[in-house]
Every structure is written in structure tokens, then in C-alpha cells.
């Protein structure tokens, strides 16, 4: 067993209000530069929809991530030899129109316009060409409309569902999906780079681009199935979410998590067995990957794990931080959070608690054993999004979330204890109280557990070059 540490984030989709506040500080701090106008390291998509860039989830179109060939993992877009031969032509890259052509407005005209009869208006101008443009797509174009009528047919999460059913008003549904780089355990971007410019930090698993080594081949862009590496047309280099590592090293959480209005984000360290990454990513079918992924995450309270971790040289404060981590509880102990498209086989480390979308009369009369099937968002849709189509883990997570609500409601509002609901969800009252605390009340220091990088621990927290963006960070 080779124990390593990894930062992970959990997002509770039940609480995301789609305000996009998370995207703004990220944009202002990391991609508010020439060449990076179209980049959103953190973006918030509405589901259903095809997202940003369009159809990023459809690997028949974009050919990102891994596939299994003869029981072995292969990059879907071909290996290094294939890339070497085709290095000047990469047909799998998304086009700028699939992201969106970035634009701004001639704001000065509003201020400088001379007095006139009608209020002045301003036109959008492309930030690439400076020419006026007709707006046809943007990073959250599908917001509020959920894009269903226009783009629903292109949403792969309707697999085994008839999407036109959800065009009817009484069936329509939507929720928000905030997305950032997954800082995967088995990152396809790293394996795709012919220059070896992408790397995963030894000490905390954050995936970075070495700007000095990047040659702008863009195979990381096409290799990432989540489309979370971007090409900067000004510098000719690749850029991606850096998990705010300068903040994280100082014990501060990422900007997206810190600014989240809905308080839906949790950040912490996980311990995992690095020797079993390949085994987990090579599980025979897509739906076997999630349990295999869970299996390599180690219990930080297990004395044997702690002993092995200490023997491997992990400092005591890192092991202690992993034990206090909110993400281990949400991901493994309580199995509330699920990975995004595990079938891409990259073992993503940003996890999502599925949205409960209650239709209140069904949830509150939980006596009906099938109330989960009457929630507004179809279970099949969530399973296609989070568990490669396997519905059981989604059902379990939703039942537990619902049990927390009903139990706490019975206790606080109705002044009685509804123990029946706990039996049905298979959890104890003690666990429910802890879930409630973390999901509803947790303070900043409970949601974000980030050990600082002590100066004397140079052996563990080696500063690896950096992701320097022209002195802007
Ligand atoms: S999500 Fe991030 S770490 Fe995973 S493959 Fe894409 S860029 Fe790499
Ligand atoms: S800031 Fe939080 S609540 Fe708002 S869109 Fe982002 S993740 Fe959702």
C-alpha cells in the first residue's frame, strides 16, 4: 500500500442557487487577462443542457478521457505515438464557437454620449477581433431556460429517457452544476501532454501546467474529458484551474469555495492508496468504477492506515487534517457525494451531492416506499450524470438526504422523534445529527479543513516551479 494525500471538493447540488458568485472571483484573479477572456476555470452550467464547451460530456464527439482496450487503459484519442504522427493536426479540439466568442460592450459610449432625445445603446464587440458581433452562445447560455427545447437532444444524460417528455410543463426540471478541474487521480490531461508539462503535485494531488515546459500542442485540452484545460491564444500555452494553490498552501480555501453564497462547497484532504489507481480506473464496466474508486480512499481514523501513513513519512498534521476532513465523511462514510461521470476513468476528485428536488407531498409522506421515483429530477438522469447509469447509489444518497430533512423536521417542528424514517434510510440518529450539522449549519472551519504548509516541512511541501501567469499572481 502506498498512501498519498489528495485535496478533494464536495459540492452539495441540493443547495446551489445558480448565482455564479463562485465564477467571478476565480475569473477576476486567474483569467482576467488577454488570451484568457473565454476561460472560466469555474463555471456554472444549468442542467439539462449541453454546457460549456458544447457537448463536453459526449466523448464520441470530443474523444477525451480513457477507454479500456484488452483490459488495459488507453487514452481515447490515441497514445503518444499517434499524437507524435499527428502533432500538427488535432481534430478533437473544441472550436471557439463551442466555448463562445468572448465579448464586451462599448461602455464608454454610455458615459460620453452627448445629450440626445433617446437613451444611447451599446453593442457587443468581440474581445478577439474587436468587431461588433451577434451573440449566439455563452458560457451559461442555457441558464434559466435549461436549454431543453434547443439543446436537450444533445444532453447525453437523457440516455434511457425520452427527453421530449421533459418539455411538458408538469415534467420540466432543472438544476445547476458548478464545474471546475477535477484534479483527477488518473488525469488524462497529464497522460496526453507530449511535453510532460502537466503534472500532479506529489504532496496534495493538485494538477498544474508548467508554463515553462508547455509547447502549446493542446493535447491536454482534447485529452481532458471535462474540458477543463484551456489554450491561451496570447501566450500560446495551456492553462487550467490551479485549485488556488497559493491560498491552499496558506491554509485558505479556494476562491470559488470561499465565495460560495449557498455554502454548498466542502474542501479537505483524503488519504488514498496510490498503488491501486490503475486497478480502480480499469474496472470492467463504467458502473463498477465508482465502487472501485471509493475502495481506494482510506479511512483516516483507522489506526492501521494512520500507522502506515506515518511510516510513509506523512506529517502528523496532514494525517490529523485528513481525519477532520469533511469530504471523507460526505464521500465515503455517508456515501452522499458521487463522482461526475466516473465512466471517463480519470477518477475525478470533485464530488457532487445529488439535488433532492422534492415534490413536497411525496417527500413529506415518506411512507410511500417509492417516493424517490416521484422527485422532479429523474433518478436515471442523475445516475447517468454521477454513477455511469447505476441508480442504487443515487437512490441511497437521496433517501439519506430526505431522511435528514424528515427526522429533523419531526424533532424541531412536530416535537416528536420519527425513528421509522431512519430505519428506512439505514442510518442512526447520531449519524443524522452529524449529517445535519455538516450539511446545514457547518461553520467555515468545519467546511474547509486545509493544513498550512509549514516552512520546515520542505520535504513534503516542495514548491514545484509554479503555474506563473506573467507575474499576475
Ligand atoms: S479534470 Fe483536470 S485533472 Fe482531470 S483530466 Fe481534466 S484537466 Fe486533468
Ligand atoms: S457561488 Fe455557490 S451557490 Fe452560487 S452558483 Fe456558485 S456554487 Fe452555486
Amino acid at each position: 500500500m502506498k498512501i498519498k494525500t489528495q485535496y478533494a471538493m464536495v459540492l452539495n447540488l441540493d443547495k446551489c442557487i445558480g448565482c455564479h458568485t463562485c465564477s467571478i472571483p476565480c475569473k477576476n484573479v486567474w483569467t482576467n487577462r488577454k488570451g484568457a477572456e473565454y476561460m472560466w476555470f469555474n463555471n456554472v452550467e444549468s442542467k439539462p443542457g449541453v454546457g460549456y464547451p458544447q457537448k463536453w460530456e459526449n466523448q464520441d464527439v470530443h474523444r477525451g478521457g480513457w477507454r479500456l482496450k484488452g483490459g488495459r487503459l488507453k487514452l481515447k484519442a490515441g497514445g503518444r505515438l499517434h499524437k507524435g504522427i499527428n502533432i500538427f493536426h488535432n481534430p478533437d479540439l473544441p472550436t471557439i464557437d463551442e466555448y463562445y466568442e468572448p465579448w464586451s460592450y462599448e461602455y464608454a459610449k454610455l458615459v460620453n454620449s452627448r445629450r440626445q432625445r433617446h437613451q444611447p445603446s451599446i453593442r457587443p464587440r468581440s474581445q478577439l477581433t474587436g468587431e461588433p458581433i451577434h451573440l449566439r452562445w455563452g458560457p451559461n447560455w442555457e441558464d434559466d431556460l435549461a436549454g431543453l427545447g434547443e439543446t436537450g437532444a444533445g444532453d447525453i444524460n437523457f440516455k434511457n429517457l425520452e427527453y421530449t417528455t421533459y418539455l411538458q410543463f408538469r415534467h420540466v426540471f432543472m438544476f445547476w452544476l458548478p464545474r471546475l478541474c477535477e484534479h483527477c487521480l488518473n488525469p488524462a490531461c497529464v497522460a496526453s501532454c507530449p511535453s510532460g508539462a502537466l503534472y500532479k503535485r506529489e504532496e496534495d494531488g493538485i494538477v498544474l501546467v508548467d508554463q515553462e515546459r508547455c509547447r502549446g500542442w493542446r493535447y491536454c485540452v482534447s485529452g481532458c474529458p471535462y474540458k477543463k484545460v484551456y489554450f491561451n491564444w496570447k501566450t500560446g500555452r495551456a492553462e487550467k484551474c490551479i485549485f488556488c494553490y497559493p491560498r491552499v498552501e496558506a491554509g485558505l480555501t479556494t476562491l470559488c469555495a470561499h465565495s460560495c453564497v449557498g455554502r454548498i462547497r466542502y474542501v479537505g484532504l483524503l488519504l488514498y492508496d496510490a498503488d491501486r489507481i490503475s486497478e480502480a480506473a480499469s474496472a470492467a464496466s463504467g458502473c463498477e468504477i465508482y465502487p472501485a474508486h471509493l475502495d481506494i480512499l482510506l479511512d483516516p481514523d483507522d489506526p492501521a492506515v494512520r500507522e502506515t501513513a506515518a511510516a510513509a513519512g506523512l506529517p502528523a498534521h496532514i494525517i490529523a487534517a485528513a481525519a477532520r476532513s469533511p469530504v471523507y465523511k460526505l464521500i465515503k462514510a455517508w456515501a452522499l457525494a458521487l463522482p461526475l461521470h466516473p465512466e471517463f476513468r480519470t477518477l475525478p476528485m470533485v464530488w457532487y451531492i445529488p439535488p433532492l428536488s422534492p415534490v413536497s407531498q411525496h417527500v413529506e409522506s415518506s411512507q410511500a416506499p417509492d417516493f424517490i421515483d416521484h422527485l422532479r429530477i429523474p433518478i436515471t438522469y442523475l445516475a447517468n450524470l454521477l454513477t455511469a447509469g447505476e441508480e442504487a447509489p443515487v437512490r441511497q444518497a437521496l433517501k439519506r438526504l430526505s431522511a435528514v430533512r424528515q427526522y429533523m423536521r419531526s424533532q424541531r417542528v412536530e416535537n416528536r422523534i420519527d425513528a421509522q424514517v431512519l430505519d428506512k434510510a439505514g442510518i442512526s440518529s447520531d449519524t443524522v445529527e452529524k449529517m445535519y450539522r455538516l450539511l446545514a449549519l457547518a461553520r467555515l472551519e468545519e467546511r474547509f479543513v486545509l493544513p498550512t504548509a509549514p516552512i520546515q516541512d520542505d520535504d513534503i511541501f516542495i514548491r514545484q516551479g509554479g503555474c506563473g501567469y506573467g507575474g499576475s499572481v
Side-chain angles (χ1 to χ4, degrees), residues 281-360:
S282 317
S285 69
C287 47
E288 287 170 66
I289 299 170
Y290 163 61
H293 190 173
L294 271 191
D295 214 36
I296 65 172
L297 306 180
L298 303 171
D299 181 356
D301 286 325
D302 180 340
V305 169
R306 295 174 76 97
E307 208 175 291
T308 316
L314 290 187
H317 75 283
I318 297 288
I319 301 172
R324 286 194 296 118
S325 164
V327 292
Y328 180 81
K329 296 184 190 81
L330 294 168
I331 293 171
K332 186 149 177 184
W334 302 336
L336 294 179
L338 303 165
L340 185 62
H341 288 301
E343 70 276 17
F344 297 164
R345 297 181 183 276
T346 61
L347 307 183
M349 293 310 288
V350 174
W351 299 62
Y352 294 89
I353 298 176
L356 195 52
S357 68
V359 178
S360 55

Side-chain angles (χ1 to χ4, degrees), residues 31 92 99 191 230 237 281 292 348:
T31 58
D92 301 323
Y99 289 102
Y230 304 86
R237 310 263 162 87

Side-chain angles (χ1 to χ4, degrees), residues 148-443:
L148 202 53
E150 296 289 327
T151 58
D155 184 337
I156 62 163
N157 302 301
F158 279 112
K159 189 177 164 193
N160 299 329
L161 292 169
E162 181 44 67
Y163 99 91
T164 50
T165 305
Y166 299 95
L167 293 172
Q168 297 166 26
F169 183 65
R170 67 198 176 101
H171 291 303
V172 85
F173 69 92
M174 77 163 294
F175 62 96
W176 283 282
L177 180 72
R179 295 207 302 120
L180 61 152
C181 166
E182 300 275 344
H183 298 277
C184 309
L185 290 183
N186 184 36
C189 59
V190 174
S192 302
C193 177
S195 313
L198 279 109
Y199 62 98
K200 189 165 176 65
R201 295 212 306 190
E202 187 69 20
E203 63 271 33
D204 54 18
I206 295 175
V207 175
L208 297 174
V209 184
D210 183 336
Q211 296 287 294
E212 301 297 320
R213 293 185 76 169
C214 178
R215 294 287 168 268
W217 297 120
R218 289 176 257 184
Y219 281 108
C220 52
V221 178
S222 50
C224 169
Y226 300 94
K227 289 292 163 280
K228 278 295 170 187
V229 195
Y230 304 86
F231 179 69
N232 183 316
W233 57 266
K234 182 78 172 30
T235 63
R237 310 263 162 87
E239 294 181 16
K240 63 177 291 302
C241 158
I242 60 172
F243 209 74
C244 291
Y245 77 83
R247 289 175 57 88
V248 163
E249 287 173 1
L252 300 169
T253 192
T254 60
L255 287 161
C256 56
H258 188 94
S259 61
C260 176
V261 173
R263 299 183 177 192
I264 79 159
R265 300 193 186 219
Y266 301 82
V267 179
L269 279 173
L270 288 173
L271 303 178
Y272 70 99
D273 183 359
D275 280 340
R276 294 172 59 207
I277 288 178
S278 159
E279 176 196 322
S282 317
S285 69
C287 47
E288 287 170 66
I289 299 170
Y290 163 61
H293 190 173
L294 271 191
D295 214 36
I296 65 172
L297 306 180
L298 303 171
D299 181 356
D301 286 325
D302 180 340
V305 169
R306 295 174 76 97
E307 208 175 291
T308 316
L314 290 187
H317 75 283
I318 297 288
I319 301 172
R324 286 194 296 118
S325 164
V327 292
Y328 180 81
K329 296 184 190 81
L330 294 168
I331 293 171
K332 186 149 177 184
W334 302 336
L336 294 179
L338 303 165
L340 185 62
H341 288 301
E343 70 276 17
F344 297 164
R345 297 181 183 276
T346 61
L347 307 183
M349 293 310 288
V350 174
W351 299 62
Y352 294 89
I353 298 176
L356 195 52
S357 68
V359 178
S360 55
Q361 75 269 27
H362 289 297
V363 171
E364 280 162 19
S365 65
S366 67
Q367 309 313 329
D370 63 341
F371 78 94
I372 287 286
D373 290 311
H374 295 286
L375 299 180
R376 187 164 277 279
I377 304 173
I379 298 284
T380 309
Y381 186 94
L382 292 173
N384 288 334
L385 185 75
L386 299 171
T387 46
E390 179 64 44
E391 294 186 7
V394 180
R395 284 175 187 277
Q396 175 178 267
L398 292 178
K399 274 189 181 156
R400 289 182 173 175
L401 288 173
S402 168
V404 173
R405 278 196 199 181
Q406 290 166 65
Y407 181 82
M408 295 313 296
R409 185 183 166 87
S410 71
Q411 195 188 84
R412 301 285 164 98
V413 182
E414 296 157 8
N415 233 355
R416 65 185 179 92
I417 299 289
D418 186 352
Q420 230 189 347
V421 76
L422 301 186
D423 295 341
K424 281 186 189 154
I427 41 177
S428 67
S429 57
D430 181 49
T431 306
V432 164
E433 297 278 354
K434 286 181 180 151
M435 283 179 179
Y436 174 67
R437 163 107 216 143
L438 195 57
L439 294 173
L441 305 175
R443 294 192 307 265

